[in-house]
Amino acid sequence: MSSYLIRGVRVVGAEPTDLLVRDGLVVEAGRGLAAAGAEVVEADGLVALPGLVDLHTHLREPGREDAETVETGSRAAALGGYTAVCAMANTSPVADTAGVVEQVWRLGREAGLVDVQPIGAVTVGLAGERLAELGAMATSAANVRIFSDDGHCVADPRLMRRALEYVKAFDGVIAQHAEEPRLTQGAQMHEGEVSTRLGLTGWPAVAEEAIIARDVLLAEHVGSRLHICHVSTAGSVEVLRHAKERGVRVTAEVTPHHLLLTDERAATYDPVFKVNPPLRTADDVAALRAALADGIIDIVATDHAPHAVEDKECEWGYARPGMVGLETALSVVLDVLGERWDLIADRMSRTPARIAGLTEHGHDPAPGAPATFTLVDPKARRTVDPMDSASRSRNNPYAGLVLPGRIVATFLRGVPTVLDGKAVR
Ligand SMILES: [Zn+2]
């Protein structure tokens, strides 16, 4: 295995140092290191972060390989600075058996660009009627620890309770897509001033907040772990704050797009801005940013949701919800939070790794740690071009925006997956 000397890098924003990488580990750190035979990476001005971990990625394989595959999504992830992604279960077939999660896990290993950790469905076929084989998925080669019907809410409180009880035995997590379906029938965008003006059916904030309130109480009652996907409203933040003060074992994520974009975008009727949960108001965006900084929201997760052209470039009402996000997430977070490196490392790597139980991830590059990190050029600015992407899909809501930060290199256990800003393979 080759060794690498990373020269002059600022580890999580600290003073410049050199890092020596050998046999998959960071073996030495300090100024003026020399290592015969090591490949030198000049990292003057670059910041090293622990490899990013995405708790919420849609890879679309099996079933919609025209939109994304495990391999193309893995490459997009590596280019975005990620070293691990959790693959959502709403594939076709649904990842609700040991066989399907093992297939996704194996495809991830074959691609070898990031660690692909499958998420198992909570209910058979995501139908919300009976529990899937959670135990069989947990003991499979894929070692599933997170279960989610994402795309759908586990709306039945009795099923939700049983799922929480079931995973408690192996310290699993239920990740809830919080949407009371009877409050969002026919919804097209956030319910508010803009939806009234445009005459589109609204998705009210309370449909999210009501499920989070119910589920934190269920999680408290059962004593189990709950994770809330893509929190999007100021009211949800208040429910989570209350739950955390009570000591409920709940964690929560926010997406880059909910940190940056508002429901005003729907006024363009460009379906690239259609997403579930929908883009909210500027007040919600401000509350989400504050909650991410103060830890009420634990992590950033992309909800990378690639869609084929025919599913997305059509009338607003027919377009599928969702947007891509792996290759732009860090730039959006840098834009929103500024160069608060320790906070970024925490929200995008250490904490998501901990929630997912990915023990090889989330470690700052230091002697003895796995050489699983990413190198960022914080001074670079780029204009987002949806065509310049490793993803198979082009539904990118940031097209034309100028965003800070560029991923220069990504290392997974000592092996570069990205060098000079390009995927190694
Ligand atoms: Zn969702």
Side-chain angles (χ1 to χ4, degrees), residues 56 58 150-151 177 229-230 276-277 303:
H56 192 147
H58 297 276
D150 183 60
H177 168 119
C229 299
H230 43 51
N276 190 14
D303 195 5

Side-chain angles (χ1 to χ4, degrees), residues 56 58 88 90 148-153 176-179 229-230 253 276-277 303:
H56 192 147
H58 297 276
M88 274 297 174
N90 62 339
S148 181
D149 273 5
D150 183 60
H152 301 270
C153 183
Q176 176 70 293
H177 168 119
E179 174 183 0
C229 299
H230 43 51
E253 69 189 36
N276 190 14
D303 195 5

Side-chain angles (χ1 to χ4, degrees), residues 85-164:
V85 300
C86 297
M88 274 297 174
N90 62 339
T91 47
S92 178
V94 170
D96 58 4
T97 63
V100 180
V101 292
E102 282 183 348
Q103 180 191 357
V104 172
W105 175 75
R106 206 171 305 113
L107 287 167
R109 299 244 304 191
E110 282 164 22
L113 293 159
V114 293
D115 285 346
V116 174
Q117 175 58 54
I119 290 175
V122 177
T123 69
V124 174
L126 310 176
E129 286 164 8
R130 55 198 172 88
L131 284 189
E133 301 167 7
L134 310 186
M137 289 188 272
T139 54
S140 74
N143 193 27
V144 175
R145 283 295 173 275
I146 304 178
F147 298 87
S148 181
D149 273 5
D150 183 60
H152 301 270
C153 183
V154 181
D156 180 342
R158 195 161 141 265
L159 258 184
M160 188 63 185
R161 175 186 176 165
R162 284 185 49 216
L164 286 164

